[in-house]
Amino acid sequence: MWVRSTMAYRASFLMMAAGNFAATALDFVAILIMFSHVRTLGGFSLPEVAFLYGTTSTSFGLADLFLGNMDKVGRRVRDGTLDTLLVRPAPVLAQVAADRFALRRLGRVTQGALLLGWSLVRLDVDWTPVRLLLVPLMLVSGAAIFGAVFVAGAAFQFKANDAAEVQNAFTYGGTTLLQYPPTLFATDLVRGVTFVVPIAFVNWVPALRVLGRENALGLPPWADFASPLVAAVCCALAGLAWRVGLRSYRSTGS
């Protein structure tokens, strides 16, 4: 329904999508400005940073496209409009995700995918079958991990009522973090996003194998292929958190 309503005004949709494309591209413009003054950033070349940027932006863009509206759960809890979703014969999670579905978010996915394609052409990498397999694997797994963070953040809002910015710190903040090389950050921060909120498996961990670089945390070689397993665990935990949060919901009474 929302896609049909969006496409009813195609010129408006194209302008909104182009605006989304341009707004997200400004993040990489900032990186280009940095590289106008330095040859490497944290020991990574421009194509390598573009590879990190492209993988995380594409993964996050896919998750944001389908689950970006999860940050509105807190508002629905506060004003009681979640009650409307509970009486409909459809999963509440699906209804929240589909509500005001914003097709313009394809602009972010497109921008990330184009930059990823450019980086793949420019990278000086020996493309073995393993490295080729890791690229689509990290995109799909990364989207699932970000999606799990969206759902877990929404579940937390059943208790906090107004925690959208806390959720955004791990979603939008997380994708910005992963756009840069891990060598720029303190080891404790890298450990935190690897073992506590494992968004490092979106691209940092598998990307280091693709780029032929050593993992700063000394993870075993099999960890480079653990993104699908991490994504599955994150989705399971997020689903459990959502069920617990939904069962704890008590209407406003209005």
Side-chain angles (χ1 to χ4, degrees), residues 35 39-51 123 181 213:
F35 273 96
R39 290 188 176 182
T40 61
L41 188 63
F44 284 63
S45 65
L46 178 58
E48 289 175 325
V49 175
F51 179 70
L123 281 174
R213 292 179 173 270

Side-chain angles (χ1 to χ4, degrees), residues 69-214:
N69 289 328
M70 300 304 294
D71 59 357
K72 296 181 174 62
V73 169
R75 186 188 66 190
R76 285 189 171 276
V77 171
R78 291 194 305 274
D79 60 22
T81 55
L82 191 68
D83 294 5
T84 306
L85 308 185
L86 291 172
V87 298
R88 292 174 180 169
V92 177
L93 180 62
Q95 293 185 69
V96 174
D99 185 36
R100 299 188 178 276
F101 183 79
L103 195 60
R104 67 179 183 276
R105 290 172 177 163
L106 279 173
R108 180 189 290 273
V109 180
T110 304
Q111 187 259 341
L114 288 175
L115 194 55
L116 175 59
W118 178 85
S119 70
L120 292 175
V121 174
R122 296 294 301 273
L123 281 174
D124 184 16
V125 171
D126 179 17
W127 288 106
T128 64
V130 171
R131 285 173 172 162
L132 287 172
L133 177 64
L134 275 175
V135 176
L137 199 65
M138 73 172 76
L139 293 178
V140 175
S141 300
I145 292 171
F146 273 126
V149 175
F150 271 116
V151 174
F156 178 66
Q157 293 187 56
F158 282 107
K159 291 293 184 182
N161 293 341
D162 189 11
E165 293 307 318
V166 175
Q167 176 180 326
N168 291 342
F170 293 98
T171 51
Y172 292 94
T175 189
T176 301
L177 178 76
L178 298 178
Q179 289 169 358
Y180 293 88
T183 51
L184 292 177
F185 304 101
T187 304
D188 287 341
L189 177 60
V190 177
R191 287 196 185 100
V193 297
T194 302
F195 301 112
V196 181
V197 182
I199 59 173
F201 287 90
V202 171
N203 69 342
W204 273 357
V205 176
L208 293 178
R209 166 63 71 95
V210 174
L211 299 176
R213 292 179 173 270
E214 294 293 331

Side-chain angles (χ1 to χ4, degrees), residues 227-242:
S227 293
L229 176 60
V230 173
V233 172
C234 287
C235 288
L237 293 176
L240 178 61
W242 173 260

Side-chain angles (χ1 to χ4, degrees), residues 3 33 37 47 63 149 172 191 219:
V3 171
I33 293 174
H37 298 282
V149 175
Y172 292 94
R191 287 196 185 100
L219 297 177

